[in-house]
Amino acid sequence: MIRLDDREIPWRSGMTVADLLESVEKAERYAVVRVNGHYVSRPHFAATRIPDEAEIRLIPMIAGG
Amino acid sequence: MPSLSFSELASLDYRRPEIEKGYANQTLYVNLSELALSVKPVTEEMQRIFVGGRGFDLWLLWQAVDETTRWSDPENALCISSGPMGGTPAYPGSGKSEVATLSPLTGSVMDSNVGGYFGPYLKFSGFDSLEIQGKRATDTVLFIDGIDAKIQLLETAGLPNNAYALTNMLTQHFAAGKPRSISVVTTGPGAKNTRFGCLNFSWYDAKRKCARYKQAGRGGVGTVFADKGLRAIVARWEPVALDSNRPADKQTLKKVARLHSQEVVQLDPKQNEMARVGTTHLVPIMNDFDLLPTHNFRYGQDSRASLIGRDVFKKLFDPGFDGCWMGCTVACSHGVRDFVPLTGPYKGQKVFVDGPEYETIAGCGSNIGVFDPFTIMELNFYCDAYGLDTISVGTSIAFVMECFELGLIDAQHTGGMELRFGNRLAALELVHQMAAGEGFGRIVGQGVRRMKALFAEKFGVDALALQDIGMEAKGLEFSEYMTKESLAQQGGYGLALKGPQHDEAWLIFLDMVHNFMPTFEQKAEALHWFPMFRTWFGLCGLCKLPWNDIVPEDNADTPEPAKVMKHVRWYAQYFTAVTGRKAAPDDLIAMSEAVYNFQRIFNLRMGYGTRAHDKLPYRAMGPVTEDEYTSRQERYDKQLREKHGVDITGKSTAEKLALLRRFREQQYEELTDAVYRRRGWTADGIPTIATVRRLGIDFPEVLAVLAKHGVTA
Ligand code: SF4
């Protein structure tokens, strides 16, 4: 099981951030997520595996400077 | 060093007015040459049109100077203001000070905003703004004692040379046992010896028992301060409460402040954790999207970026509640305790480093090829202590490093320094030299624009090559974002009033990553709305971070997520609750538009403010060198083929580079046209008569400036 914001989602072996976002509505809004406290940006979604029990946050990144 | 002494040059006892709906309704005028101190009223018109903060600064500065005034003339005024909401302790981000003056870098109007307690303490002491003209040859301190309602100009001797020691010493000296009642504005020796001196604005950190500071960094405001003979301005005030501004509607203020404050507390941990890591989260994100400047803005990515990113600084920052104004729940002003510099006057001693923030990490790190957090912290510490802007320092060092790597300058010019990217000891040495006004650092401290001219004239370097890679516009060094792939952000930098600083428009992520504004018209609309709304924070004495760095959970479902309209509505309510002046979100934009256009016309009056001054170096728009092209060849080839319909078969890199350049330069011109149209300006970038009439800034002197430039009814 992994936690995505405040919900629980079943974990699959080999699951990537890109896989996870397929189950998220309007996932294109998220260019950055935090997996166990570490930032992962869109260019790395497909290559980043999610470990079981991971805590994931979708970051609504629209500002910075 | 002589022993510490203060002797009074002039003083003024004054009647401290009650604050009324966020305004003291008077300003403090100081003339250092004449040793004159006086109080000026704030008119109803000044409040209505200029609102406060940066608006007041600009109006005072406009009256103080004329079109012949240069930054170092005694007539140049240094203005510092709070704003009507400045000093509200419950609403996040309500303690900013706004500084404006004529800049040693650009020759025109500069504005810079900064945290720390000074602006609110100035206002609660009885003054919406402080305006300083004149100069003194000897060290001078201005003391604004709001508690005893007395202003003093003091001649001093025996003060420490650098801002770090000076701020702590003056805090203790004037505190009368209550250091939290003191805020000090200081700079250091680098401000006098360069053109990009910064100002440090302090607050007392009761937990760590030391004075902390934030910087009004951009455009050499500290250089003007030092040139006037000022060593420090000290404000003394207590207490601060929600009532201190005597808001028009305290109940609404309380309600809206609580809503925003609680939202920050609830959502920041789920979003960017700024209360823990400040703005350092931007480093890995910018790097992943090819937006982190490395090697003088050549590239946007480096495999070593993780060494200077959020995860590292999360460990280095001293945990604690670090707001740069009371009650700011974003609390992003972090620092590093017990840091021990390897070089300079504090070598081997434990110091507290205020920062680093993203801009310093990118400017004094990746952009000069340094991926070592300790060097970045040391550069950060010394820049603040010496009174140097970390952004201009970083971008200027990056420029000379590239010149050195390209063989445009050599060790004979640099005093023997091997100025290669990544040479961290050389970077530190340059900063020490800038502070002392010695060696090659003295030249670097003149900023990129003057170095370009000097290298061409004195060292015989090709001026066009320097123009392409020298990252300045209007004379101001670029802040630290890569704009090559974001036309909107190119406009955000090039069409900004004071020069390429991101506080006016930070569109890079919205444009490049989210593709929120695919057409020219959408980009132009964004380059209207965002600079206007961001200007509004500066009018009110507010920090913009709580607006859009933490966003409501349902923000993405709103029609315009980039504007975070829920917060904009809260800001309109906040404004009305304090000032009693009815305002809806559109009114906030209209207020800013008046001040924004006035500032554009101020630029025009000073000999700038036209299209010719809105140009960018090509490095900001696209690849300058073949290396840059080939490093992202797939991207550029694709754009030539698909976007511009070019058959690139058989074309050399040099040919493709030239073609791409032509397209991109043309795009920038088209964007400029679209933005000028949207802003109600002529094709030369001058506000039209209809625009100034609509905005209520059609004063005779404004119309006279326009007429002088051929803009008439
Ligand atoms: S958000 Fe950060 S910079 Fe802005 S006022 Fe709060 S602590 Fe200061």
Side-chain angles (χ1 to χ4, degrees):
Chain A
M1 206 59 90
I2 56 177
R3 277 195 84 78
L4 172 66
D5 290 336
D6 298 322
R7 23 190 194 124
E8 298 215 314
I9 292 193
W11 177 78
R12 280 183 284 111
S13 165
M15 183 183 205
T16 66
V17 174
D19 297 335
L20 173 72
L21 286 176
E22 274 176 23
S23 65
V24 171
E25 245 186 82
K26 301 184 185 158
E28 69 285 353
R29 291 169 178 172
Y30 300 101
V32 181
V33 301
R34 214 162 66 217
V35 180
N36 288 336
H38 296 287
Y39 276 65
V40 181
S41 312
R42 193 182 286 151
H44 303 297
F45 283 175
T48 306
R49 297 249 168 118
I50 299 177
D52 195 7
E53 316 262 302
E55 295 266 351
I56 296 160
R57 294 268 177 210
L58 302 173
I59 307 292
M61 174 87 194
I62 54 162
Chain B
M1 194 161 81
S3 58
L4 180 65
S5 68
F6 294 89
S7 59
E8 188 176 285
L9 296 164
S11 73
L12 173 74
D13 292 300
Y14 66 99
R15 197 189 63 76
R16 182 161 43 74
E18 289 285 356
I19 305 296
E20 276 298 330
K21 299 176 186 169
Y23 292 95
N25 288 311
Q26 60 183 26
T27 66
L28 175 61
Y29 174 77
V30 176
N31 193 308
L32 295 167
S33 308
E34 295 164 11
L35 298 178
L37 301 165
S38 61
V39 177
K40 291 184 184 177
V42 167
T43 62
E44 188 278 325
E45 187 186 40
M46 190 171 157
Q47 249 187 39
R48 184 169 44 81
I49 297 174
F50 293 97
V51 184
R54 177 168 140 199
F56 278 14
D57 284 347
L58 290 169
W59 180 236
L60 294 170
L61 184 61
W62 173 281
Q63 290 166 313
V65 302
D66 65 30
E67 59 277 15
T68 65
T69 310
R70 295 292 159 254
W71 72 272
S72 54
D73 290 342
E75 292 74 30
N76 185 19
L78 181 86
C79 303
I80 306 175
S81 298
S82 177
M85 286 110 103
T88 303
Y91 203 106
S94 298
K96 290 270 175 169
S97 302
E98 311 293 327
V99 186
T101 191
L102 296 183
S103 161
L105 284 170
T106 70
S108 193
V109 186
M110 183 56 53
D111 62 273
S112 197
N113 75 79
V114 56
Y117 289 7
F118 184 82
Y121 281 10
L122 172 73
K123 181 169 75 175
F124 296 145
S125 295
F127 307 103
D128 292 315
S129 307
L130 165 65
E131 175 193 356
I132 302 172
Q133 275 189 309
K135 278 184 173 196
R136 281 189 53 77
T138 48
D139 286 1
T140 305
V141 169
L142 173 65
F143 180 38
I144 301 162
D145 185 348
I147 296 173
D148 288 341
K150 182 172 182 146
I151 314 290
Q152 283 180 298
L153 264 180
L154 302 163
E155 186 159 69
T156 69
L159 291 178
N161 191 22
N162 70 75
Y164 182 70
L166 183 59
T167 303
N168 276 292
M169 174 200 259
L170 292 178
T171 300
Q172 293 305 335
H173 180 84
F174 287 100
K178 292 185 176 175
R180 206 169 133 86
S181 67
I182 297 295
S183 177
V184 187
V185 181
T186 52
T187 189
K192 184 109 192 158
N193 292 320
T194 67
R195 284 177 184 262
F196 41 63
C198 74
L199 287 175
N200 297 287
F201 281 56
S202 81
W203 75 97
Y204 186 73
D205 182 334
K207 182 187 141 207
R208 298 186 182 88
K209 302 207 172 348
C210 64
R212 307 270 309 274
Y213 46 40
K214 286 278 226 177
Q215 290 69 39
R218 304 308 332 262
V221 294
T223 299
V224 175
F225 186 95
D227 184 65
K228 289 192 173 302
L230 278 169
R231 293 301 314 280
I233 308 172
V234 181
R236 176 168 173 255
W237 177 256
E238 67 164 11
V240 174
L242 198 63
D243 277 327
S244 299
N245 268 321
R246 298 232 300 171
D249 176 357
K250 189 173 164 188
Q251 286 318 313
T252 304
L253 172 61
K254 245 180 164 165
K255 194 177 108 206
V256 73
R258 192 179 313 120
L259 284 172
H260 204 153
S261 191
Q262 286 179 348
E263 191 183 80
V264 167
V265 171
Q266 190 202 343
L267 296 182
D268 179 53
K270 297 182 180 181
Q271 297 179 11
N272 288 319
E273 298 180 296
M274 296 178 81
R276 188 65 195 87
V277 300
T279 51
T280 62
H281 63 285
L282 287 170
V283 178
I285 297 174
M286 292 298 118
N287 189 59
D288 284 347
F289 288 102
D290 209 16
L291 298 172
L292 178 75
T294 74
H295 303 91
N296 193 32
F297 299 87
R298 276 183 167 216
Y299 310 115
Q301 213 160 48
D302 193 288
S303 59
R304 295 163 291 175
S306 62
L307 301 174
I308 56 170
R310 167 189 177 276
D311 293 352
V312 171
F313 284 102
K314 193 172 182 177
K315 294 196 183 87
L316 290 169
F317 283 145
D318 188 34
F321 183 78
D322 284 312
C324 71
W325 171 243
M326 297 175 198
C328 180
T329 44
V330 181
C332 71
S333 304
H334 303 295
V336 178
R337 184 200 278 269
D338 293 343
F339 177 73
V340 181
L342 275 177
T343 65
Y346 285 88
K347 179 178 173 178
Q349 297 176 42
K350 284 183 184 170
V351 296
F352 191 92
V353 184
D354 265 296
E357 296 181 22
Y358 166 80
E359 297 292 332
T360 302
I361 297 171
C364 294
S366 58
N367 210 13
I368 59 172
V370 166
F371 293 90
D372 159 30
F374 295 94
T375 303
I376 294 169
M377 288 189 283
E378 188 154 338
L379 287 166
N380 184 148
F381 173 77
Y382 278 119
C383 282
D384 295 349
Y386 291 153
L388 295 167
D389 171 26
T390 55
I391 297 177
S392 281
V393 164
T395 299
S396 297
I397 294 180
F399 171 68
V400 292
M401 283 182 165
E402 181 162 11
C403 288
F404 191 91
E405 296 253 0
L406 292 173
L408 304 176
I409 59 171
D410 59 31
Q412 281 188 345
H413 303 117
T414 65
M417 256 186 283
E418 288 288 312
L419 279 179
R420 301 203 174 278
F421 285 117
N423 186 344
R424 57 203 181 107
L425 291 178
L428 281 162
E429 179 56 23
L430 274 180
V431 166
H432 296 308
Q433 288 185 356
M434 283 182 215
E438 288 169 356
F440 191 60
R442 199 174 58 77
I443 292 173
V444 180
Q446 295 305 301
V448 172
R449 178 165 281 195
R450 284 170 183 79
M451 280 195 282
K452 287 193 299 194
L454 188 130
F455 292 179
E457 264 170 43
K458 297 259 164 45
F459 306 163
V461 182
D462 175 10
L464 289 177
L466 293 167
Q467 176 53 29
D468 279 351
I469 63 169
M471 293 300 280
E472 60 82 18
K474 299 185 171 78
L476 184 71
E477 286 72 29
F478 272 64
S479 72
E480 308 299 334
Y481 296 97
M482 284 290 287
T483 57
K484 283 180 193 171
E485 303 311 315
S486 168
L487 179 59
Q489 188 60 42
Q490 290 165 30
Y493 273 150
L495 307 177
L497 292 171
K498 65 172 171 254
Q501 166 71 357
H502 56 280
D503 64 346
E504 192 173 293
W506 192 86
L507 301 176
I508 201 156
F509 221 70
L510 305 178
D511 185 35
M512 252 194 75
V513 178
H514 294 308
N515 198 23
F516 275 177
M517 50 194 87
T519 67
F520 274 112
E521 280 60 39
Q522 286 164 320
K523 287 184 190 358
E525 182 56 37
L527 282 165
H528 177 69
W529 195 91
F530 285 93
M532 295 315 146
F533 191 53
R534 283 171 170 256
T535 296
W536 183 79
F537 289 92
L539 307 184
C540 296
L542 300 179
C543 172
K544 81 95 217 161
L545 267 65
W547 160 49
N548 66 352
D549 278 78
I550 294 137
V551 300
E553 284 188 303
D554 60 357
N555 187 58
D557 296 319
T558 61
E560 297 179 289
K563 294 183 179 173
V564 199
M565 285 308 291
K566 179 180 173 190
H567 289 176
V568 177
R569 283 189 290 274
W570 281 349
Y571 280 114
Q573 286 174 32
Y574 179 19
F575 181 82
T576 301
V578 174
T579 64
R581 186 170 153 185
K582 288 260 170 295
D586 282 350
D587 300 320
L588 311 186
I589 300 297
M591 287 174 209
S592 297
E593 238 188 311
V595 176
Y596 192 93
N597 278 271
F598 181 78
Q599 190 168 344
R600 179 75 178 184
I601 294 164
F602 202 159
N603 282 339
L604 189 66
R605 180 190 186 206
M606 300 312 297
Y608 307 90
T610 55
R611 191 172 188 125
H613 300 282
D614 287 343
K615 304 285 180 215
L616 292 173
Y618 186 63
R619 175 63 60 74
M621 293 188 217
V624 170
T625 61
E626 294 196 15
D627 278 354
E628 285 164 81
Y629 192 101
T630 49
S631 75
R632 273 102 177 128
Q633 177 156 355
E634 208 183 316
R635 174 193 294 164
Y636 297 135
D637 280 358
K638 188 169 172 225
Q639 284 179 11
L640 281 174
R641 273 195 319 267
E642 294 177 8
K643 194 168 168 195
H644 304 297
V646 177
D647 180 4
I648 55 170
T649 330
K651 292 218 169 2
S652 68
T653 303
E655 286 169 323
K656 291 190 287 187
L657 202 61
L659 275 169
L660 190 69
R661 181 170 186 151
R662 216 176 67 215
F663 290 124
R664 290 198 168 189
E665 287 180 336
Q666 188 185 334
Q667 269 187 348
Y668 181 76
E669 292 306 319
E670 285 173 31
L671 178 72
T672 302
D673 284 331
V675 174
Y676 287 176
R677 270 196 306 274
R678 176 61 188 88
R679 289 182 180 171
W681 296 357
T682 69
D684 198 25
I686 302 175
T688 62
I689 299 289
T691 300
V692 298
R693 290 230 162 101
R694 178 173 63 81
L695 299 171
I697 52 167
D698 51 341
F699 321 126
E701 61 261 56
V702 164
L703 295 176
V705 173
L706 295 181
K708 197 173 156 194
H709 291 84
V711 177
T712 49

